[in-house]
Short mmCIF file of all heavy atoms in Angstrom, two decimals:
data_model
loop_
_atom_site.label_atom_id
_atom_site.label_comp_id
_atom_site.label_asym_id
_atom_site.label_seq_id
_atom_site.Cartn_x
_atom_site.Cartn_y
_atom_site.Cartn_z
N PHE A 13 14.27 12.80 0.91
CA PHE A 13 13.61 12.34 -0.32
C PHE A 13 14.49 12.47 -1.55
O PHE A 13 14.11 12.04 -2.64
CB PHE A 13 12.31 13.12 -0.53
CG PHE A 13 11.22 12.75 0.44
CD1 PHE A 13 10.82 13.63 1.43
CD2 PHE A 13 10.58 11.52 0.35
CE1 PHE A 13 9.81 13.29 2.32
CE2 PHE A 13 9.57 11.17 1.23
CZ PHE A 13 9.18 12.05 2.23
N GLY A 14 15.67 13.09 -1.40
CA GLY A 14 16.58 13.21 -2.53
C GLY A 14 16.14 14.23 -3.55
O GLY A 14 16.31 14.02 -4.76
N VAL A 15 15.57 15.34 -3.08
CA VAL A 15 15.15 16.41 -3.99
C VAL A 15 15.81 17.72 -3.56
O VAL A 15 16.29 17.85 -2.44
CB VAL A 15 13.61 16.58 -4.00
CG1 VAL A 15 12.94 15.32 -4.51
CG2 VAL A 15 13.09 16.93 -2.60
N GLU A 16 15.82 18.69 -4.49
CA GLU A 16 16.33 20.02 -4.18
C GLU A 16 15.19 20.90 -3.69
O GLU A 16 14.01 20.66 -4.01
CB GLU A 16 16.97 20.64 -5.42
CG GLU A 16 18.14 19.85 -5.99
CD GLU A 16 19.34 19.85 -5.07
OE1 GLU A 16 19.47 20.78 -4.25
OE2 GLU A 16 20.14 18.90 -5.16
N GLU A 17 15.54 21.95 -2.92
CA GLU A 17 14.50 22.82 -2.37
C GLU A 17 13.70 23.50 -3.47
O GLU A 17 12.47 23.61 -3.38
CB GLU A 17 15.12 23.86 -1.44
CG GLU A 17 14.08 24.74 -0.76
CD GLU A 17 14.67 25.67 0.26
OE1 GLU A 17 15.85 25.50 0.62
OE2 GLU A 17 13.95 26.59 0.71
N HIS A 18 14.38 23.94 -4.52
CA HIS A 18 13.65 24.61 -5.60
C HIS A 18 12.71 23.64 -6.32
O HIS A 18 11.67 24.06 -6.87
CB HIS A 18 14.64 25.24 -6.60
CG HIS A 18 15.39 24.26 -7.45
ND1 HIS A 18 14.91 23.78 -8.63
CD2 HIS A 18 16.59 23.66 -7.25
CE1 HIS A 18 15.79 22.93 -9.16
NE2 HIS A 18 16.82 22.84 -8.34
N GLU A 19 13.04 22.35 -6.28
CA GLU A 19 12.18 21.36 -6.92
C GLU A 19 10.90 21.13 -6.12
O GLU A 19 9.81 21.02 -6.69
CB GLU A 19 12.93 20.04 -7.08
CG GLU A 19 14.07 20.10 -8.08
CD GLU A 19 14.89 18.83 -8.14
OE1 GLU A 19 14.86 18.04 -7.15
OE2 GLU A 19 15.55 18.60 -9.17
N VAL A 20 11.03 21.07 -4.79
CA VAL A 20 9.86 20.80 -3.96
C VAL A 20 8.91 22.00 -3.93
O VAL A 20 7.77 21.90 -3.47
CB VAL A 20 10.30 20.39 -2.54
CG1 VAL A 20 10.63 21.60 -1.68
CG2 VAL A 20 9.23 19.53 -1.85
N LEU A 21 9.37 23.15 -4.46
CA LEU A 21 8.53 24.35 -4.53
C LEU A 21 7.97 24.57 -5.94
O LEU A 21 7.31 25.56 -6.21
CB LEU A 21 9.33 25.59 -4.10
CG LEU A 21 9.85 25.58 -2.66
CD1 LEU A 21 10.69 26.82 -2.39
CD2 LEU A 21 8.70 25.49 -1.66
N MET A 22 8.23 23.61 -6.83
CA MET A 22 7.76 23.73 -8.22
C MET A 22 6.24 23.63 -8.31
O MET A 22 5.57 23.21 -7.36
CB MET A 22 8.38 22.60 -9.08
CG MET A 22 9.86 22.72 -9.32
SD MET A 22 10.53 21.20 -10.10
CE MET A 22 9.56 21.13 -11.62
N ASP A 23 5.71 23.98 -9.47
CA ASP A 23 4.30 23.74 -9.76
C ASP A 23 4.02 22.24 -9.59
O ASP A 23 4.80 21.40 -10.08
CB ASP A 23 4.00 24.17 -11.20
CG ASP A 23 2.60 23.77 -11.63
OD1 ASP A 23 1.65 24.48 -11.27
OD2 ASP A 23 2.48 22.72 -12.30
N PRO A 24 2.95 21.86 -8.86
CA PRO A 24 2.68 20.45 -8.58
C PRO A 24 2.63 19.55 -9.82
O PRO A 24 3.09 18.41 -9.78
CB PRO A 24 1.32 20.49 -7.87
CG PRO A 24 1.30 21.83 -7.21
CD PRO A 24 2.00 22.75 -8.16
N GLY A 25 2.09 20.08 -10.94
CA GLY A 25 2.05 19.27 -12.14
C GLY A 25 3.44 18.97 -12.66
O GLY A 25 3.75 17.82 -13.03
N SER A 26 4.30 19.97 -12.68
CA SER A 26 5.67 19.79 -13.15
C SER A 26 6.44 18.89 -12.19
O SER A 26 7.24 18.05 -12.61
CB SER A 26 6.37 21.14 -13.27
OG SER A 26 5.71 21.98 -14.19
N PHE A 27 6.16 19.05 -10.89
CA PHE A 27 6.86 18.24 -9.90
C PHE A 27 6.45 16.78 -10.02
O PHE A 27 7.28 15.87 -9.90
CB PHE A 27 6.55 18.76 -8.50
CG PHE A 27 7.31 18.07 -7.41
CD1 PHE A 27 8.69 18.28 -7.26
CD2 PHE A 27 6.68 17.21 -6.52
CE1 PHE A 27 9.40 17.64 -6.25
CE2 PHE A 27 7.39 16.57 -5.51
CZ PHE A 27 8.76 16.79 -5.38
N ARG A 28 5.16 16.54 -10.30
CA ARG A 28 4.69 15.17 -10.46
C ARG A 28 5.36 14.51 -11.68
O ARG A 28 5.74 13.35 -11.63
CB ARG A 28 3.17 15.15 -10.60
CG ARG A 28 2.55 13.77 -10.63
CD ARG A 28 1.03 13.86 -10.69
NE ARG A 28 0.48 14.47 -9.49
CZ ARG A 28 0.22 13.80 -8.37
NH1 ARG A 28 0.46 12.49 -8.33
NH2 ARG A 28 -0.27 14.42 -7.33
N ASP A 29 5.50 15.27 -12.77
CA ASP A 29 6.17 14.75 -13.95
C ASP A 29 7.63 14.42 -13.64
O ASP A 29 8.16 13.40 -14.10
CB ASP A 29 6.11 15.78 -15.08
CG ASP A 29 4.70 15.96 -15.63
OD1 ASP A 29 3.87 15.06 -15.41
OD2 ASP A 29 4.45 17.02 -16.26
N LEU A 30 8.27 15.28 -12.85
CA LEU A 30 9.66 15.05 -12.46
C LEU A 30 9.80 13.78 -11.64
O LEU A 30 10.70 12.96 -11.86
CB LEU A 30 10.19 16.25 -11.68
CG LEU A 30 11.62 16.14 -11.14
CD1 LEU A 30 12.62 16.10 -12.29
CD2 LEU A 30 11.93 17.31 -10.21
N MET A 31 8.89 13.59 -10.69
CA MET A 31 8.95 12.41 -9.82
C MET A 31 8.60 11.12 -10.56
O MET A 31 9.02 10.04 -10.16
CB MET A 31 8.03 12.59 -8.61
CG MET A 31 8.48 13.65 -7.62
SD MET A 31 10.12 13.29 -6.89
CE MET A 31 11.18 14.36 -7.87
N ALA A 32 7.82 11.24 -11.63
CA ALA A 32 7.49 10.05 -12.43
C ALA A 32 8.74 9.51 -13.11
O ALA A 32 8.87 8.31 -13.36
CB ALA A 32 6.42 10.39 -13.46
N ILE A 33 9.66 10.42 -13.41
CA ILE A 33 10.93 10.02 -14.04
C ILE A 33 11.96 9.63 -13.00
O ILE A 33 12.68 8.65 -13.13
CB ILE A 33 11.47 11.18 -14.91
CG1 ILE A 33 10.46 11.53 -16.00
CG2 ILE A 33 12.82 10.83 -15.51
CD1 ILE A 33 10.82 12.79 -16.76
N ARG A 34 12.01 10.42 -11.93
CA ARG A 34 13.04 10.21 -10.90
C ARG A 34 12.35 10.01 -9.56
O ARG A 34 12.01 10.96 -8.86
CB ARG A 34 13.96 11.44 -10.84
CG ARG A 34 15.19 11.20 -9.99
CD ARG A 34 15.92 12.52 -9.76
NE ARG A 34 15.19 13.38 -8.84
CZ ARG A 34 15.27 14.71 -8.82
NH1 ARG A 34 15.99 15.34 -9.72
NH2 ARG A 34 14.60 15.41 -7.93
N ARG A 35 12.12 8.76 -9.20
CA ARG A 35 11.44 8.46 -7.95
C ARG A 35 12.24 8.97 -6.76
O ARG A 35 13.47 8.97 -6.78
CB ARG A 35 11.23 6.94 -7.80
CG ARG A 35 10.23 6.36 -8.79
CD ARG A 35 8.82 6.85 -8.48
NE ARG A 35 7.84 6.24 -9.35
CZ ARG A 35 7.17 5.13 -9.05
NH1 ARG A 35 7.41 4.50 -7.92
NH2 ARG A 35 6.27 4.66 -9.88
N PRO A 36 11.58 9.37 -5.66
CA PRO A 36 12.29 9.80 -4.46
C PRO A 36 13.16 8.69 -3.89
O PRO A 36 12.87 7.50 -4.09
CB PRO A 36 11.16 10.16 -3.48
CG PRO A 36 9.96 10.40 -4.34
CD PRO A 36 10.12 9.48 -5.52
N LEU A 37 14.20 9.06 -3.16
CA LEU A 37 15.09 8.07 -2.55
C LEU A 37 14.34 7.17 -1.59
O LEU A 37 14.69 6.02 -1.40
CB LEU A 37 16.23 8.78 -1.80
CG LEU A 37 17.24 9.54 -2.66
CD1 LEU A 37 18.28 10.18 -1.77
CD2 LEU A 37 17.91 8.60 -3.65
N GLU A 38 13.29 7.72 -0.98
CA GLU A 38 12.51 6.94 -0.02
C GLU A 38 11.95 5.67 -0.65
O GLU A 38 11.74 4.68 0.02
CB GLU A 38 11.37 7.81 0.53
CG GLU A 38 10.38 7.11 1.45
CD GLU A 38 10.99 6.71 2.76
OE1 GLU A 38 12.10 7.15 3.07
OE2 GLU A 38 10.33 5.95 3.51
N HIS A 39 11.75 5.71 -1.95
CA HIS A 39 11.16 4.56 -2.64
C HIS A 39 12.15 3.40 -2.77
O HIS A 39 11.75 2.26 -2.94
CB HIS A 39 10.68 4.99 -4.03
CG HIS A 39 9.99 3.91 -4.80
ND1 HIS A 39 8.71 3.49 -4.51
CD2 HIS A 39 10.41 3.17 -5.85
CE1 HIS A 39 8.36 2.53 -5.36
NE2 HIS A 39 9.36 2.31 -6.17
N GLU A 40 13.45 3.72 -2.67
CA GLU A 40 14.45 2.68 -2.84
C GLU A 40 14.45 1.73 -1.64
O GLU A 40 14.40 2.16 -0.49
CB GLU A 40 15.83 3.32 -3.00
CG GLU A 40 15.94 4.16 -4.27
CD GLU A 40 17.30 4.78 -4.42
OE1 GLU A 40 18.16 4.55 -3.54
OE2 GLU A 40 17.52 5.50 -5.40
N ALA A 41 14.51 0.46 -1.90
CA ALA A 41 14.46 -0.54 -0.83
C ALA A 41 15.86 -0.88 -0.33
O ALA A 41 16.84 -0.72 -1.03
CB ALA A 41 13.78 -1.81 -1.35
N ASP A 42 15.90 -1.34 0.90
CA ASP A 42 17.14 -1.81 1.51
C ASP A 42 16.88 -3.26 1.91
O ASP A 42 16.49 -3.53 3.05
CB ASP A 42 17.49 -0.95 2.72
CG ASP A 42 18.73 -1.45 3.46
OD1 ASP A 42 19.40 -2.36 2.93
OD2 ASP A 42 19.01 -0.96 4.56
#
């Protein structure tokens, strides 16, 4: 998913804000 381990263990609200800015690699199309 293109994230760091410490990020995936963050508070869900903070993590959601992070993903809103930086979408996971899985979202990228080929």
Side-chain angles (χ1 to χ4, degrees):
F13 288 109
V15 297
E16 300 293 335
E17 184 174 348
H18 71 87
E19 292 175 338
V20 82
L21 298 177
M22 290 171 59
D23 172 80
S26 300
F27 185 71
R28 186 176 296 275
D29 291 341
L30 177 66
M31 291 299 101
I33 300 171
R34 191 191 72 206
R35 291 292 184 93
L37 292 180
E38 174 68 11
H39 183 74
E40 296 180 0
D42 176 9

